[in-house]
Amino acid sequence: MVQTAPVPETAGKLARRGLMFILSSPSGAGKTTIARMLLEADPHICNSVSCTTRPPRPGEVDGVDYHFVSPAQFERMVEDGDFLEWATVFGYSYGTPKAQVKAGLKDGQDYLFDIDWQGTQQLYQKLERDVVRVFLLPPSIDELRRRLTGRGTDSAEVIHGRMERARSEISHWDGYDYVVVNDDIESCFGQVTQILHAERLRRARQTGLIGFVRELMQPEA
Ligand SMILES: Nc1ncnc2c1ncn2[C@@H]1O[C@H](COP(=O)(O)OP(=O)(O)OP(=O)(O)O)[C@@H](O)[C@H]1O
Ligand SMILES: Nc1nc2c(ncn2[C@@H]2O[C@H](COP(=O)(O)O)[C@@H](O)[C@H]2O)c(=O)[nH]1
């Protein structure tokens, strides 16, 4: 019979640093939909709730979808250095509050960010090793327009503005680690989930590995 070494106690639950999982796309390509599916399916990732000066859409809840703040409040937060990143998108201000994220990462908490390319660049400059950047593309420009219209949350003028901006947003595709086409929602969700799972396994995130490997390498008694 082959004798196997006893499995060290830490095996299977090594300490890990959390990651910052960023989803970006042109407006309407489906990042909010994929983000909601991920948050529902995976208890180990939580949403980074942004602040915005944009008014709430029907059904959006303050503190859940966004922290809805006035332009003056937003300005004060910028001055106080409360944001990890912030940007102006479609004429409104959006920003990622610093407070919870930095401490949570150390404890192995993963965070999901639904932010644009400007915010992605800022987070990457600050916390490169923690950031995973995923860009979603629509299967076609016509389908993007259909999705924005079908969502039924924006006026024709707003949709026109978002379509105008879509091409310049798509031009940032090569600033991302992964690009996924959101054609079939389940298949897109499957691919995004695979990326998240693989990124969690990166050696650099396994902070418990050093101790574990040392234990494995102890000379025979
Ligand atoms: N694969 C898909 N097939 C068909 N419809 C989709 C798909 N993915 C998302 N949708 C629909 O497209 C619309 C836009 O999706 P969503 O709101 O998730 O986009 P978004 O990228 O978050 O947009 P924004 O940046 O404006 O918030 C929604 O009505 C959503 O249900
Ligand atoms: N740089 C940041 N961009 C953000 C943030 N929160 C959202 N966004 C992006 O804004 C647009 C519009 O969003 P919508 O909800 O008004 O449709 C979209 O591209 C989001 O990804 C943020 O904190 N920082």
Side-chain angles (χ1 to χ4, degrees), residues 5-66:
V7 180
E9 276 193 1
T10 41
K13 46 178 174 160
L14 295 179
R16 177 176 71 80
R17 187 170 165 79
L19 53 78
M20 302 168 80
F21 199 74
I22 301 179
L23 284 179
S24 301
S25 77
S27 175
K31 58 195 169 306
T32 309
T33 308
I34 294 291
R36 285 189 182 143
M37 291 169 82
L38 263 187
L39 291 168
E40 204 176 306
D42 191 325
H44 303 295
I45 191 160
C46 69
N47 196 23
S48 162
V49 182
S50 297
C51 293
T52 182
T53 58
R54 159 171 88 60
R57 293 188 183 126
E60 283 185 330
V61 177
D62 188 31
V64 175
D65 298 290
Y66 282 104

Side-chain angles (χ1 to χ4, degrees), residues 97-137:
K98 245 184 215 165
Q100 61 174 145
V101 175
K102 279 197 164 173
L105 288 174
K106 271 196 210 135
D107 297 335
Q109 176 65 55
D110 298 325
Y111 291 95
L112 181 63
F113 297 80
D114 170 343
I115 61 175
D116 83 332
W117 64 272
Q118 305 172 82
T120 303
Q121 282 186 350
Q122 293 173 53
L123 290 188
Y124 188 71
Q125 277 160 12
K126 283 189 181 155
L127 294 154
E128 177 180 335
R129 289 189 324 163
D130 294 323
V131 161
V132 179
R133 299 164 298 176
V134 181
F135 196 72
L136 301 183
L137 286 173

